[in-house]
Amino acid sequence: MGDKANTHPGAAGRATAADHPAAVRNVVLVGHCGSGKTTLVEALALTAGAVNRAGRVEDGTAVSDYDEIEHRQQRSVQLSLVPFTWDGIKINLLDTPGYADFVGELRAGLRAADAALFVVSASDGVDGSTRMVWEECAAVGMPRAIVVTHLEAARADFEEMTRICAEAFGGDDPDAVLPLYLPLHGPEGPDGHAPVTGLTGLLSRKLFDYSSGERKEAEPDADRLADIEEARNRLIEGIIAESEDETLMDRYLGGEQIDVTTLIDDLERAVVRGTFFPVLAAAPAAEGARQGLGTVELLELVTRGFPTPLERTAPHVTTVDGIPRELKACDPDGPLVAEVVKTSSDPYVGRVSLVRVFSGTLHPDETVHVSGHGLADRGHEDHDVDERIGALSAPFGKQQRVLTHCIAGDLACVAKLGRAETGDTLSAKDDPLLMEPWQMPDPLLPLAIEAHSKADEDKLSQGLGRLVAEDPTMRLEQNQHTHQVVLWCLGEAHSDVALERLRSRYGVQVDVVPHKVSLRETFAAPSAGRGRHVKQSGGHGQYAICEIEVEPLPGGSGIEFVDKVVGGSVPRQFIPSVEKGVRAQAAKGLAAGHPLVDVRITLLDGKAHSVDSSDAAFQTAGALALREAGADARIHLLEPVAEVTVLVGDDYVGAVMSDLSGRRGRVLGTEQTDGGRTLVRAEVPEIEIGRYAVDLRSVSHGTARFERAYARHEPMPPQVAEKLRQQAQAG
């Protein structure tokens, strides 16, 4: 890795189409907002020769400059691909958002990558959301490494941060998280801070000096060697513990000096297996410098220590009818299987799809089959359609570098896929296949919207359709009970970006309105009502009288209509009319305008006229009878109650339970889980958890996640119900 000195990258710079999966590395960068991911991407691109000055691509456009909103905001809310080459290897760096609201972009990056680089700030440490992503990677065995940034901070301490990372990420084996290098500090400045000017390789005992702006190898003095000996021995023991050679530990403990080449080979294999997690340090290049500190070491780790796409298990694939299909891992000559991991709109070329090819080879201007299944609940229709794709390209800032092909294991942008959405599978038109979709977080923050004007109303449906096509973590709901259009998002930042995209990209201005929950009404006790609709004002008159009795039923019973008329007081042909009128009034509500449910309405008696009675008259009489019964009865307002499960770190269980109680929640129990976490189960009125996705993040410091499911409707407390009734009357 970095101890194999390589100050000249060889074939470096612009990425072209890869010709073999072994020459590709797909790496996703993970870390909280502000940890320095995008700055690190720019520093690596500079060192690789793809950028001619810090933070800039060759045409003067910032690497982080994207076409939406403002580039400084946009780079933090979407997945971006920066491909370049180093030492003959094509590296696809996937820079992910650090905001928890955009975890869908992060999951897409994890899906497209074969290894993860966790970026940790020396000044901020490790947050709860980063720990959770680490556990996701561990669950699938993804190789990982850690990069410590912001070493220039006044109180930055690399050794202490390494200890924190070992504690956070090492689990039962903290010796699996160890540094490969130790920082070398220059002389102290006037403020007493000694800047990091280089690195000392623990295995090679070589010093790599970056103080001149370019990596230079030197021999450290004896004092420096003595300082690194303890860390070096611990690293060697950690590598040997993960070695597949079971005799190596006995030889080492017996005093044998293990060859450095053997140690590096074992280290690389352990990293690929996902059992050892090296810690490195990196810093961006100074103005005018060619290489940032630690960037060469990091690139060597990526090219030599991270797995090739050939070492990734083939995804689970079926035919569109669900019949399993076996695939050879990453075979460029196999059947075409590719996945859309990101969808975006370009103002000049239209929809652009970022695609990871898992099998076969994708060529421009060929016809492919697009399969999309399993996201109908989020506004994505299932579809199977053939489409002719446009050009293939490798993005770099605003540039699009044309590719002649994209083999299995590589990534490319595909133009003109008009129907393809994020998560869809591309395959050969004569052999359509479907990949198992990756798990998407459930959006739990509702955003109710209305078109700002008639012109916006005409464009709203199409704009929303395109919006959810790009972002499968967003769910579109047309609520039939509240008659609201609701965008379900992951958080406030997610909803803000959605509104801005509607405005700037699709030209749709919307107004945000209070989100309504689906309330109901029911009778608290039996009641009776008489509906009299008699009018005679010339011409054909109207005559209908009916008497009903209303009694409450158990929850979930709906509305039951019973006919107990005797003697023909209400002619048989008009009894359905009474029922129709009663049900129409029940749908409108009685007390606060919410649908009436869970009652039995019995028609007891009535009167009719041989000439003036009609279907319409008895419908009106039935509605009047129900309104009179409601006026004389106590009406319960029913609110939906959700089953809520919260997975939270043990340190915040008390705060979460207290918060749930303050929301009129009933905690049903707790359950201890792995990783120092507790599962809290509760029932909470839905009206109290509209913003819970935001509030829980604050209460738990980002360490908790929750799920919710509808349980039932139940009576609302009288004081809360009265407040809502007053609001309804005022409105």
Side-chain angles (χ1 to χ4, degrees), residues 359-373:
S359 175
T361 300
L362 191 63
H363 297 279
D365 299 319
E366 71 175 319
T367 300
V368 299
H369 186 80
V370 180
S371 300
H373 295 249

Side-chain angles (χ1 to χ4, degrees), residues 1-81:
M1 293 186 185
D3 284 352
K4 297 178 180 178
N6 178 5
T7 58
H8 301 287
R14 286 177 180 251
T16 57
D19 292 321
H20 193 277
V24 178
R25 303 292 184 274
N26 299 310
V27 182
V28 61
L29 277 74
V30 178
H32 64 79
C33 185
S35 62
K37 296 186 300 299
T38 302
T39 303
L40 179 60
V41 169
E42 294 170 353
L44 293 173
L46 176 67
T47 296
V51 170
N52 60 5
R53 58 195 175 102
R56 301 283 164 178
V57 298
E58 292 157 359
D59 66 351
T61 305
V63 169
S64 55
D65 189 2
Y66 301 103
D67 288 333
E68 299 171 20
I69 314 176
E70 295 294 332
H71 73 269
R72 285 289 172 187
Q73 177 188 4
Q74 186 56 33
R75 74 180 186 179
S76 61
V77 302
Q78 73 171 18
L79 173 72
S80 61
L81 170 65

Side-chain angles (χ1 to χ4, degrees), residues 48-234:
V51 170
N52 60 5
R53 58 195 175 102
R56 301 283 164 178
V57 298
E58 292 157 359
D59 66 351
T61 305
V63 169
S64 55
D65 189 2
Y66 301 103
D67 288 333
E68 299 171 20
I69 314 176
E70 295 294 332
H71 73 269
R72 285 289 172 187
Q73 177 188 4
Q74 186 56 33
R75 74 180 186 179
S76 61
V77 302
Q78 73 171 18
L79 173 72
S80 61
L81 170 65
V82 179
F84 52 80
T85 60
W86 171 265
D87 203 15
I89 301 295
K90 181 179 181 181
I91 300 173
N92 289 316
L93 288 184
L94 293 149
D95 186 10
T96 63
Y99 289 113
D101 283 8
F102 303 98
V103 67
E105 302 277 332
L106 170 62
R107 296 270 177 88
L110 293 174
R111 177 73 161 205
D114 304 310
L117 205 53
F118 279 73
V119 183
V120 177
S121 169
S123 58
D124 297 332
V126 181
D127 70 344
S129 60
T130 304
R131 295 176 192 237
M132 293 169 69
V133 178
W134 182 276
E135 291 173 5
E136 285 189 35
C137 292
V140 297
M142 177 175 280
R144 284 147 282 160
I146 302 158
V147 184
V148 179
T149 60
H150 295 164
L151 295 172
E152 72 282 359
R155 288 178 291 192
D157 187 331
F158 179 80
E159 287 79 5
E160 174 63 13
M161 186 50 58
T162 300
R163 185 195 64 78
I164 292 172
C165 289
E167 183 180 279
F169 302 139
D172 297 331
D173 186 12
D175 285 340
V177 181
L178 293 170
L180 300 184
Y181 305 86
L182 292 183
L184 177 67
H185 294 270
E188 289 187 1
D191 59 355
H193 177 63
V196 178
T197 58
L199 302 169
T200 303
L202 293 180
L203 292 181
S204 67
R205 295 191 177 101
K206 298 288 185 182
L207 187 151
F208 303 102
D209 184 7
Y210 282 87
S211 59
S212 66
E214 198 159 328
R215 184 182 191 252
K216 295 181 180 178
E217 184 178 327
E219 295 291 335
D221 56 35
D223 291 343
R224 180 62 181 167
L225 287 177
D227 291 341
I228 70 169
E229 203 58 31
E230 181 181 348
R232 184 177 191 272
N233 290 336
R234 189 178 178 195

Side-chain angles (χ1 to χ4, degrees), residues 417-461:
L417 278 175
R419 292 288 302 276
E421 301 178 357
T422 301
D424 283 358
T425 303
L426 308 184
S427 55
K429 66 176 183 178
D430 55 353
D431 187 16
L433 298 171
L434 182 66
M435 285 184 63
E436 184 178 37
W438 72 83
Q439 184 180 7
M440 286 291 180
D442 193 15
L444 296 169
L445 181 69
L447 182 72
I449 58 175
E450 293 177 352
H452 182 70
S453 66
K454 181 65 171 67
D456 295 311
E457 188 173 333
D458 295 338
K459 297 182 291 185
L460 181 59
S461 178

